Amino acid sequence: MFSDHIRHFLKRIKRPGAAWVIFSGVLTAAAIIYPRFGLLAWVSLIPYYLTLYQISDPENGKQPLFRTGFLFGLSFYLPLFTFFCALYPLDSAGLSPVEALSVVLLALFGLSAFYSLPHALLPCVLRLLQKRGIRRQQAFLAPLAIAALWMLVEWADSQTFLGMPWGRLAVSQYRLTPLIQSASLLGACFVSFLIALCNALLAQGIRRRCRGIVCILCAAVIFGGNLLYGIISLNIEPEPTETISVAIVQGNLSTSEKWGEDGELLSLEHYLSMTKELSAEEEVDLIVWTESCIPIVLNGYPEISQQIADTAVDCGAIILVGAYYYDGSNHYNAVYAYYPDGTVSDQPYCKRKLVAFGEYMPRSAFLEFLVPALAELNLMQSAFTPGTDSAVFSTDFGSIGGLVCFDGVFEGPALSSVRDGAELLALLSNDAWYDSSYAVSNLLGHSVLRAVENGRCVVRGTNTGISAVIDEKGRIQTESNLRTAEVIRGEVSLYSHRTLYSYVGNLWELVCLLYILMLLIPVRKKNT
């Protein structure tokens, strides 16, 4: 009797529909939004993949391929983009309440639809692969293809003109340190690949009988192998070149305070005061402020710059300051390094990954025609130019690679900094835009992944939190509270060793692309 119930249940879940697709999308998004439930990501895609197997089978005739993938994408991205609601009422943009609401809703639904398009294509490609050679007797090719396609979709998210890789499965694991150590081999995208592959194998196991057990065992081996590698990796400590004390000054100034009348003076006094207090308590080697904490073109105000330089001398520490930089033709969102001898870095680090609608206007002519209010939206009231190089800061104790906010969401900036000699990464951010939404923890998660990928400690200073000191294995040593003015301290090590990922970069994405292209080659049947 019990076995009959089990068989009936398995038959039902083998015929999933739209409800299963939506459930899978929401559950996967929840694993990213609530990282304490990160393990859900290893099973949350099973209902969706069961649907993919069903509708992509050529023997089932015409199926709603594009619609199914798009529906999953919407149910996945809508929860992830709810942080846009925290931007309302967009006072700094000068919009009316109605215009602000329209912009927020357009961002929420428009971006969700836009980023759902690659997911909509995934079932179509899988159907084509089924026709070209992935048949039922080849039980492992389809899961591999699904995992490779998922990873390519994640890659596509970062290549658009909007550039917002928000739905990365690997981010869901950032609190589960052993499970992300494989990012040091082939990057965070490889962690996403493993998660997608386990889901696809488990879904294949549910569909089949004899071979299904093998698929489930393979999924268990992949998960267990990834976990075992993580445990071993965490117990292998590389030899540091230097260990220093650091302090992060989290000013917790609101957007209106920073960009209000005399906001730059208020911000300067606030950060100088907090810095002098911490230096009086204990010696520190490196002090990190936050992104645009002094909201002016700092190289154009020598008096203000001198005050910061004098403070660096008094503290006997290097101070990294977020401000703007003008080179005579372009404006940049930058990081300046002030040294204990009173000098300032010859060249500041300039942010390389800008935020659309915040620091530049993508496709402004098109937007002006389509949505006039959106075309006028520029939260920083300026058009910045992206930086072009890593501009690693040289210090007495080692080289520091600077990053600003969205630089940490992408793999490229941190990777190039390490390749250019950075032994420590300092990321300055301003997450006040996101209020207390989950976006602040999501950004922290990306910083953790950058640490693991490159084998470098990350000192992350943010205006309103979450500031953190992260070691080279992605373990968060200390972190701040949200919406508090505080100073957090820690010790970090500088490293010269290189991870495999720092050499090969995003090679795994190319491997997955070649695998899909290989499967697209028609298989000729042998004559009998």
Side-chain angles (χ1 to χ4, degrees), residues 183-215:
S184 65
L185 301 176
L186 295 168
C189 65
F190 182 63
V191 178
S192 293
F193 174 85
L194 294 179
I195 295 172
L197 180 58
C198 281
N199 277 275
L201 285 169
L202 291 172
Q204 186 79 305
I206 292 174
R207 292 178 70 242
R208 297 173 177 271
R209 293 183 179 179
C210 296
R211 294 186 181 180
I213 298 297
V214 177
C215 289

PDB file of all heavy atoms in Angstrom, residues 183-215:
ATOM      1  N   ALA A 183      35.337  27.824  -5.867  1.00  0.00           N
ATOM      2  CA  ALA A 183      35.453  29.054  -6.650  1.00  0.00           C
ATOM      3  C   ALA A 183      36.911  29.437  -6.861  1.00  0.00           C
ATOM      4  O   ALA A 183      37.246  30.138  -7.820  1.00  0.00           O
ATOM      5  CB  ALA A 183      34.705  30.202  -5.970  1.00  0.00           C
ATOM      6  N   SER A 184      37.801  28.973  -5.981  1.00  0.00           N
ATOM      7  CA  SER A 184      39.226  29.260  -6.150  1.00  0.00           C
ATOM      8  C   SER A 184      39.819  28.492  -7.325  1.00  0.00           C
ATOM      9  O   SER A 184      40.921  28.815  -7.786  1.00  0.00           O
ATOM     10  CB  SER A 184      39.991  28.918  -4.868  1.00  0.00           C
ATOM     11  OG  SER A 184      39.944  27.520  -4.613  1.00  0.00           O
ATOM     12  N   LEU A 185      39.098  27.493  -7.809  1.00  0.00           N
ATOM     13  CA  LEU A 185      39.572  26.691  -8.950  1.00  0.00           C
ATOM     14  C   LEU A 185      39.127  27.288 -10.273  1.00  0.00           C
ATOM     15  O   LEU A 185      39.944  27.585 -11.143  1.00  0.00           O
ATOM     16  CB  LEU A 185      39.059  25.255  -8.826  1.00  0.00           C
ATOM     17  CG  LEU A 185      39.468  24.482  -7.566  1.00  0.00           C
ATOM     18  CD1 LEU A 185      38.797  23.120  -7.544  1.00  0.00           C
ATOM     19  CD2 LEU A 185      40.982  24.343  -7.495  1.00  0.00           C
ATOM     20  N   LEU A 186      37.816  27.471 -10.405  1.00  0.00           N
ATOM     21  CA  LEU A 186      37.271  27.915 -11.693  1.00  0.00           C
ATOM     22  C   LEU A 186      36.277  29.055 -11.560  1.00  0.00           C
ATOM     23  O   LEU A 186      35.538  29.342 -12.502  1.00  0.00           O
ATOM     24  CB  LEU A 186      36.608  26.721 -12.414  1.00  0.00           C
ATOM     25  CG  LEU A 186      37.566  25.594 -12.817  1.00  0.00           C
ATOM     26  CD1 LEU A 186      36.787  24.353 -13.240  1.00  0.00           C
ATOM     27  CD2 LEU A 186      38.504  26.031 -13.931  1.00  0.00           C
ATOM     28  N   GLY A 187      36.236  29.699 -10.415  1.00  0.00           N
ATOM     29  CA  GLY A 187      35.398  30.868 -10.246  1.00  0.00           C
ATOM     30  C   GLY A 187      34.040  30.569  -9.645  1.00  0.00           C
ATOM     31  O   GLY A 187      33.617  29.414  -9.519  1.00  0.00           O
ATOM     32  N   ALA A 188      33.337  31.629  -9.266  1.00  0.00           N
ATOM     33  CA  ALA A 188      32.001  31.490  -8.688  1.00  0.00           C
ATOM     34  C   ALA A 188      31.039  30.850  -9.676  1.00  0.00           C
ATOM     35  O   ALA A 188      30.097  30.155  -9.275  1.00  0.00           O
ATOM     36  CB  ALA A 188      31.475  32.849  -8.247  1.00  0.00           C
ATOM     37  N   CYS A 189      31.260  31.084 -10.965  1.00  0.00           N
ATOM     38  CA  CYS A 189      30.383  30.477 -11.963  1.00  0.00           C
ATOM     39  C   CYS A 189      30.441  28.953 -11.901  1.00  0.00           C
ATOM     40  O   CYS A 189      29.453  28.273 -12.198  1.00  0.00           O
ATOM     41  CB  CYS A 189      30.760  30.968 -13.364  1.00  0.00           C
ATOM     42  SG  CYS A 189      32.407  30.452 -13.914  1.00  0.00           S
ATOM     43  N   PHE A 190      31.583  28.409 -11.490  1.00  0.00           N
ATOM     44  CA  PHE A 190      31.718  26.960 -11.367  1.00  0.00           C
ATOM     45  C   PHE A 190      30.851  26.447 -10.222  1.00  0.00           C
ATOM     46  O   PHE A 190      30.270  25.356 -10.311  1.00  0.00           O
ATOM     47  CB  PHE A 190      33.178  26.589 -11.146  1.00  0.00           C
ATOM     48  CG  PHE A 190      33.432  25.108 -11.064  1.00  0.00           C
ATOM     49  CD1 PHE A 190      33.180  24.290 -12.158  1.00  0.00           C
ATOM     50  CD2 PHE A 190      33.911  24.534  -9.895  1.00  0.00           C
ATOM     51  CE1 PHE A 190      33.409  22.915 -12.085  1.00  0.00           C
ATOM     52  CE2 PHE A 190      34.140  23.175  -9.815  1.00  0.00           C
ATOM     53  CZ  PHE A 190      33.895  22.360 -10.917  1.00  0.00           C
ATOM     54  N   VAL A 191      30.755  27.214  -9.140  1.00  0.00           N
ATOM     55  CA  VAL A 191      29.872  26.840  -8.029  1.00  0.00           C
ATOM     56  C   VAL A 191      28.424  26.817  -8.515  1.00  0.00           C
ATOM     57  O   VAL A 191      27.662  25.894  -8.200  1.00  0.00           O
ATOM     58  CB  VAL A 191      30.040  27.809  -6.848  1.00  0.00           C
ATOM     59  CG1 VAL A 191      29.087  27.439  -5.713  1.00  0.00           C
ATOM     60  CG2 VAL A 191      31.481  27.810  -6.345  1.00  0.00           C
ATOM     61  N   SER A 192      28.032  27.825  -9.289  1.00  0.00           N
ATOM     62  CA  SER A 192      26.677  27.851  -9.857  1.00  0.00           C
ATOM     63  C   SER A 192      26.450  26.636 -10.749  1.00  0.00           C
ATOM     64  O   SER A 192      25.371  26.026 -10.741  1.00  0.00           O
ATOM     65  CB  SER A 192      26.474  29.129 -10.676  1.00  0.00           C
ATOM     66  OG  SER A 192      26.490  30.280  -9.858  1.00  0.00           O
ATOM     67  N   PHE A 193      27.464  26.274 -11.529  1.00  0.00           N
ATOM     68  CA  PHE A 193      27.363  25.108 -12.408  1.00  0.00           C
ATOM     69  C   PHE A 193      27.111  23.843 -11.598  1.00  0.00           C
ATOM     70  O   PHE A 193      26.247  23.025 -11.955  1.00  0.00           O
ATOM     71  CB  PHE A 193      28.648  24.971 -13.229  1.00  0.00           C
ATOM     72  CG  PHE A 193      28.726  23.722 -14.058  1.00  0.00           C
ATOM     73  CD1 PHE A 193      28.156  23.685 -15.319  1.00  0.00           C
ATOM     74  CD2 PHE A 193      29.362  22.584 -13.575  1.00  0.00           C
ATOM     75  CE1 PHE A 193      28.222  22.526 -16.093  1.00  0.00           C
ATOM     76  CE2 PHE A 193      29.434  21.423 -14.340  1.00  0.00           C
ATOM     77  CZ  PHE A 193      28.864  21.399 -15.596  1.00  0.00           C
ATOM     78  N   LEU A 194      27.848  23.659 -10.506  1.00  0.00           N
ATOM     79  CA  LEU A 194      27.675  22.464  -9.688  1.00  0.00           C
ATOM     80  C   LEU A 194      26.280  22.406  -9.081  1.00  0.00           C
ATOM     81  O   LEU A 194      25.664  21.332  -9.009  1.00  0.00           O
ATOM     82  CB  LEU A 194      28.735  22.437  -8.580  1.00  0.00           C
ATOM     83  CG  LEU A 194      30.192  22.274  -9.023  1.00  0.00           C
ATOM     84  CD1 LEU A 194      31.112  22.304  -7.805  1.00  0.00           C
ATOM     85  CD2 LEU A 194      30.392  20.995  -9.818  1.00  0.00           C
ATOM     86  N   ILE A 195      25.771  23.554  -8.624  1.00  0.00           N
ATOM     87  CA  ILE A 195      24.425  23.588  -8.050  1.00  0.00           C
ATOM     88  C   ILE A 195      23.388  23.205  -9.110  1.00  0.00           C
ATOM     89  O   ILE A 195      22.489  22.392  -8.860  1.00  0.00           O
ATOM     90  CB  ILE A 195      24.120  24.977  -7.479  1.00  0.00           C
ATOM     91  CG1 ILE A 195      25.052  25.293  -6.303  1.00  0.00           C
ATOM     92  CG2 ILE A 195      22.662  25.076  -7.027  1.00  0.00           C
ATOM     93  CD1 ILE A 195      24.951  26.716  -5.796  1.00  0.00           C
ATOM     94  N   ALA A 196      23.499  23.804 -10.297  1.00  0.00           N
ATOM     95  CA  ALA A 196      22.559  23.491 -11.373  1.00  0.00           C
ATOM     96  C   ALA A 196      22.676  22.030 -11.791  1.00  0.00           C
ATOM     97  O   ALA A 196      21.655  21.371 -12.070  1.00  0.00           O
ATOM     98  CB  ALA A 196      22.822  24.406 -12.574  1.00  0.00           C
ATOM     99  N   LEU A 197      23.898  21.501 -11.828  1.00  0.00           N
ATOM    100  CA  LEU A 197      24.095  20.107 -12.235  1.00  0.00           C
ATOM    101  C   LEU A 197      23.459  19.145 -11.230  1.00  0.00           C
ATOM    102  O   LEU A 197      22.811  18.160 -11.624  1.00  0.00           O
ATOM    103  CB  LEU A 197      25.590  19.821 -12.375  1.00  0.00           C
ATOM    104  CG  LEU A 197      25.967  18.402 -12.800  1.00  0.00           C
ATOM    105  CD1 LEU A 197      25.326  18.041 -14.137  1.00  0.00           C
ATOM    106  CD2 LEU A 197      27.490  18.252 -12.887  1.00  0.00           C
ATOM    107  N   CYS A 198      23.628  19.404  -9.937  1.00  0.00           N
ATOM    108  CA  CYS A 198      23.001  18.541  -8.928  1.00  0.00           C
ATOM    109  C   CYS A 198      21.488  18.550  -9.060  1.00  0.00           C
ATOM    110  O   CYS A 198      20.832  17.501  -8.977  1.00  0.00           O
ATOM    111  CB  CYS A 198      23.414  18.989  -7.528  1.00  0.00           C
ATOM    112  SG  CYS A 198      25.055  18.448  -7.033  1.00  0.00           S
ATOM    113  N   ASN A 199      20.900  19.736  -9.274  1.00  0.00           N
ATOM    114  CA  ASN A 199      19.453  19.825  -9.472  1.00  0.00           C
ATOM    115  C   ASN A 199      19.019  19.034 -10.696  1.00  0.00           C
ATOM    116  O   ASN A 199      18.008  18.319 -10.668  1.00  0.00           O
ATOM    117  CB  ASN A 199      19.042  21.289  -9.633  1.00  0.00           C
ATOM    118  CG  ASN A 199      18.861  22.009  -8.318  1.00  0.00           C
ATOM    119  OD1 ASN A 199      17.803  21.956  -7.707  1.00  0.00           O
ATOM    120  ND2 ASN A 199      19.911  22.688  -7.882  1.00  0.00           N
ATOM    121  N   ALA A 200      19.769  19.160 -11.786  1.00  0.00           N
ATOM    122  CA  ALA A 200      19.410  18.476 -13.028  1.00  0.00           C
ATOM    123  C   ALA A 200      19.539  16.961 -12.882  1.00  0.00           C
ATOM    124  O   ALA A 200      18.714  16.201 -13.414  1.00  0.00           O
ATOM    125  CB  ALA A 200      20.291  18.974 -14.175  1.00  0.00           C
ATOM    126  N   LEU A 201      20.557  16.494 -12.175  1.00  0.00           N
ATOM    127  CA  LEU A 201      20.720  15.055 -11.957  1.00  0.00           C
ATOM    128  C   LEU A 201      19.613  14.502 -11.062  1.00  0.00           C
ATOM    129  O   LEU A 201      19.086  13.400 -11.317  1.00  0.00           O
ATOM    130  CB  LEU A 201      22.085  14.782 -11.333  1.00  0.00           C
ATOM    131  CG  LEU A 201      23.296  14.883 -12.274  1.00  0.00           C
ATOM    132  CD1 LEU A 201      24.589  14.866 -11.465  1.00  0.00           C
ATOM    133  CD2 LEU A 201      23.287  13.751 -13.295  1.00  0.00           C
ATOM    134  N   LEU A 202      19.259  15.253 -10.022  1.00  0.00           N
ATOM    135  CA  LEU A 202      18.182  14.795  -9.142  1.00  0.00           C
ATOM    136  C   LEU A 202      16.852  14.742  -9.887  1.00  0.00           C
ATOM    137  O   LEU A 202      16.052  13.809  -9.694  1.00  0.00           O
ATOM    138  CB  LEU A 202      18.078  15.715  -7.927  1.00  0.00           C
ATOM    139  CG  LEU A 202      19.246  15.641  -6.939  1.00  0.00           C
ATOM    140  CD1 LEU A 202      19.125  16.735  -5.882  1.00  0.00           C
ATOM    141  CD2 LEU A 202      19.308  14.266  -6.282  1.00  0.00           C
ATOM    142  N   ALA A 203      16.603  15.744 -10.744  1.00  0.00           N
ATOM    143  CA  ALA A 203      15.377  15.727 -11.539  1.00  0.00           C
ATOM    144  C   ALA A 203      15.380  14.545 -12.507  1.00  0.00           C
ATOM    145  O   ALA A 203      14.350  13.879 -12.696  1.00  0.00           O
ATOM    146  CB  ALA A 203      15.243  17.039 -12.314  1.00  0.00           C
ATOM    147  N   GLN A 204      16.540  14.268 -13.093  1.00  0.00           N
ATOM    148  CA  GLN A 204      16.648  13.107 -13.988  1.00  0.00           C
ATOM    149  C   GLN A 204      16.433  11.813 -13.216  1.00  0.00           C
ATOM    150  O   GLN A 204      15.806  10.865 -13.720  1.00  0.00           O
ATOM    151  CB  GLN A 204      18.031  13.101 -14.652  1.00  0.00           C
ATOM    152  CG  GLN A 204      18.230  12.040 -15.716  1.00  0.00           C
ATOM    153  CD  GLN A 204      17.608  12.422 -17.040  1.00  0.00           C
ATOM    154  OE1 GLN A 204      16.417  12.719 -17.102  1.00  0.00           O
ATOM    155  NE2 GLN A 204      18.407  12.415 -18.089  1.00  0.00           N
ATOM    156  N   GLY A 205      16.928  11.775 -11.978  1.00  0.00           N
ATOM    157  CA  GLY A 205      16.743  10.594 -11.154  1.00  0.00           C
ATOM    158  C   GLY A 205      15.285  10.342 -10.829  1.00  0.00           C
ATOM    159  O   GLY A 205      14.844   9.190 -10.752  1.00  0.00           O
ATOM    160  N   ILE A 206      14.517  11.393 -10.617  1.00  0.00           N
ATOM    161  CA  ILE A 206      13.088  11.241 -10.331  1.00  0.00           C
ATOM    162  C   ILE A 206      12.346  10.718 -11.557  1.00  0.00           C
ATOM    163  O   ILE A 206      11.411   9.916 -11.440  1.00  0.00           O
ATOM    164  CB  ILE A 206      12.498  12.589  -9.874  1.00  0.00           C
ATOM    165  CG1 ILE A 206      13.084  12.971  -8.509  1.00  0.00           C
ATOM    166  CG2 ILE A 206      10.977  12.534  -9.808  1.00  0.00           C
ATOM    167  CD1 ILE A 206      12.676  14.345  -8.036  1.00  0.00           C
ATOM    168  N   ARG A 207      12.771  11.120 -12.753  1.00  0.00           N
ATOM    169  CA  ARG A 207      12.090  10.725 -13.991  1.00  0.00           C
ATOM    170  C   ARG A 207      12.318   9.255 -14.330  1.00  0.00           C
ATOM    171  O   ARG A 207      11.464   8.606 -14.921  1.00  0.00           O
ATOM    172  CB  ARG A 207      12.588  11.568 -15.160  1.00  0.00           C
ATOM    173  CG  ARG A 207      12.192  13.029 -15.111  1.00  0.00           C
ATOM    174  CD  ARG A 207      12.771  13.776 -16.286  1.00  0.00           C
ATOM    175  NE  ARG A 207      12.151  13.403 -17.541  1.00  0.00           N
ATOM    176  CZ  ARG A 207      12.793  12.849 -18.567  1.00  0.00           C
ATOM    177  NH1 ARG A 207      14.074  12.583 -18.483  1.00  0.00           N
ATOM    178  NH2 ARG A 207      12.148  12.563 -19.679  1.00  0.00           N
ATOM    179  N   ARG A 208      13.476   8.740 -13.969  1.00  0.00           N
ATOM    180  CA  ARG A 208      13.849   7.400 -14.399  1.00  0.00           C
ATOM    181  C   ARG A 208      13.782   6.412 -13.244  1.00  0.00           C
ATOM    182  O   ARG A 208      13.656   6.795 -12.087  1.00  0.00           O
ATOM    183  CB  ARG A 208      15.263   7.423 -14.992  1.00  0.00           C
ATOM    184  CG  ARG A 208      15.339   8.292 -16.250  1.00  0.00           C
ATOM    185  CD  ARG A 208      16.768   8.430 -16.711  1.00  0.00           C
ATOM    186  NE  ARG A 208      16.831   9.203 -17.949  1.00  0.00           N
ATOM    187  CZ  ARG A 208      16.744   8.683 -19.155  1.00  0.00           C
ATOM    188  NH1 ARG A 208      16.583   7.367 -19.286  1.00  0.00           N
ATOM    189  NH2 ARG A 208      16.804   9.427 -20.232  1.00  0.00           N
ATOM    190  N   ARG A 209      13.952   5.132 -13.583  1.00  0.00           N
ATOM    191  CA  ARG A 209      13.926   4.101 -12.551  1.00  0.00           C
ATOM    192  C   ARG A 209      15.344   3.584 -12.286  1.00  0.00           C
ATOM    193  O   ARG A 209      16.026   4.054 -11.407  1.00  0.00           O
ATOM    194  CB  ARG A 209      13.000   2.964 -12.971  1.00  0.00           C
ATOM    195  CG  ARG A 209      11.532   3.405 -13.026  1.00  0.00           C
ATOM    196  CD  ARG A 209      10.612   2.260 -13.363  1.00  0.00           C
ATOM    197  NE  ARG A 209       9.217   2.690 -13.391  1.00  0.00           N
ATOM    198  CZ  ARG A 209       8.200   1.879 -13.680  1.00  0.00           C
ATOM    199  NH1 ARG A 209       8.419   0.606 -13.970  1.00  0.00           N
ATOM    200  NH2 ARG A 209       6.955   2.350 -13.673  1.00  0.00           N
ATOM    201  N   CYS A 210      15.802   2.625 -13.079  1.00  0.00           N
ATOM    202  CA  CYS A 210      17.122   2.043 -12.837  1.00  0.00           C
ATOM    203  C   CYS A 210      18.223   3.091 -12.941  1.00  0.00           C
ATOM    204  O   CYS A 210      19.036   3.253 -12.037  1.00  0.00           O
ATOM    205  CB  CYS A 210      17.380   0.906 -13.822  1.00  0.00           C
ATOM    206  SG  CYS A 210      16.241  -0.485 -13.615  1.00  0.00           S
ATOM    207  N   ARG A 211      18.253   3.805 -14.076  1.00  0.00           N
ATOM    208  CA  ARG A 211      19.302   4.811 -14.257  1.00  0.00           C
ATOM    209  C   ARG A 211      19.081   6.013 -13.336  1.00  0.00           C
ATOM    210  O   ARG A 211      20.007   6.775 -13.089  1.00  0.00           O
ATOM    211  CB  ARG A 211      19.353   5.273 -15.702  1.00  0.00           C
ATOM    212  CG  ARG A 211      19.795   4.175 -16.672  1.00  0.00           C
ATOM    213  CD  ARG A 211      19.957   4.727 -18.059  1.00  0.00           C
ATOM    214  NE  ARG A 211      20.354   3.680 -18.989  1.00  0.00           N
ATOM    215  CZ  ARG A 211      20.562   3.876 -20.288  1.00  0.00           C
ATOM    216  NH1 ARG A 211      20.408   5.081 -20.794  1.00  0.00           N
ATOM    217  NH2 ARG A 211      20.921   2.874 -21.064  1.00  0.00           N
ATOM    218  N   GLY A 212      17.860   6.168 -12.862  1.00  0.00           N
ATOM    219  CA  GLY A 212      17.586   7.278 -11.968  1.00  0.00           C
ATOM    220  C   GLY A 212      18.382   7.192 -10.687  1.00  0.00           C
ATOM    221  O   GLY A 212      18.857   8.205 -10.162  1.00  0.00           O
ATOM    222  N   ILE A 213      18.549   5.982 -10.159  1.00  0.00           N
ATOM    223  CA  ILE A 213      19.343   5.806  -8.942  1.00  0.00           C
ATOM    224  C   ILE A 213      20.779   6.251  -9.179  1.00  0.00           C
ATOM    225  O   ILE A 213      21.402   6.893  -8.322  1.00  0.00           O
ATOM    226  CB  ILE A 213      19.307   4.330  -8.493  1.00  0.00           C
ATOM    227  CG1 ILE A 213      17.869   3.910  -8.166  1.00  0.00           C
ATOM    228  CG2 ILE A 213      20.223   4.128  -7.293  1.00  0.00           C
ATOM    229  CD1 ILE A 213      17.258   4.675  -7.023  1.00  0.00           C
ATOM    230  N   VAL A 214      21.305   5.931 -10.344  1.00  0.00           N
ATOM    231  CA  VAL A 214      22.679   6.322 -10.678  1.00  0.00           C
ATOM    232  C   VAL A 214      22.796   7.844 -10.711  1.00  0.00           C
ATOM    233  O   VAL A 214      23.769   8.416 -10.224  1.00  0.00           O
ATOM    234  CB  VAL A 214      23.105   5.714 -12.030  1.00  0.00           C
ATOM    235  CG1 VAL A 214      24.502   6.183 -12.411  1.00  0.00           C
ATOM    236  CG2 VAL A 214      23.050   4.194 -11.967  1.00  0.00           C
ATOM    237  N   CYS A 215      21.791   8.523 -11.299  1.00  0.00           N
ATOM    238  CA  CYS A 215      21.806   9.983 -11.367  1.00  0.00           C
ATOM    239  C   CYS A 215      21.782  10.599  -9.973  1.00  0.00           C
ATOM    240  O   CYS A 215      22.509  11.564  -9.694  1.00  0.00           O
ATOM    241  CB  CYS A 215      20.620  10.486 -12.179  1.00  0.00           C
ATOM    242  SG  CYS A 215      20.736  10.153 -13.953  1.00  0.00           S
TER     243      CYS A 215
END
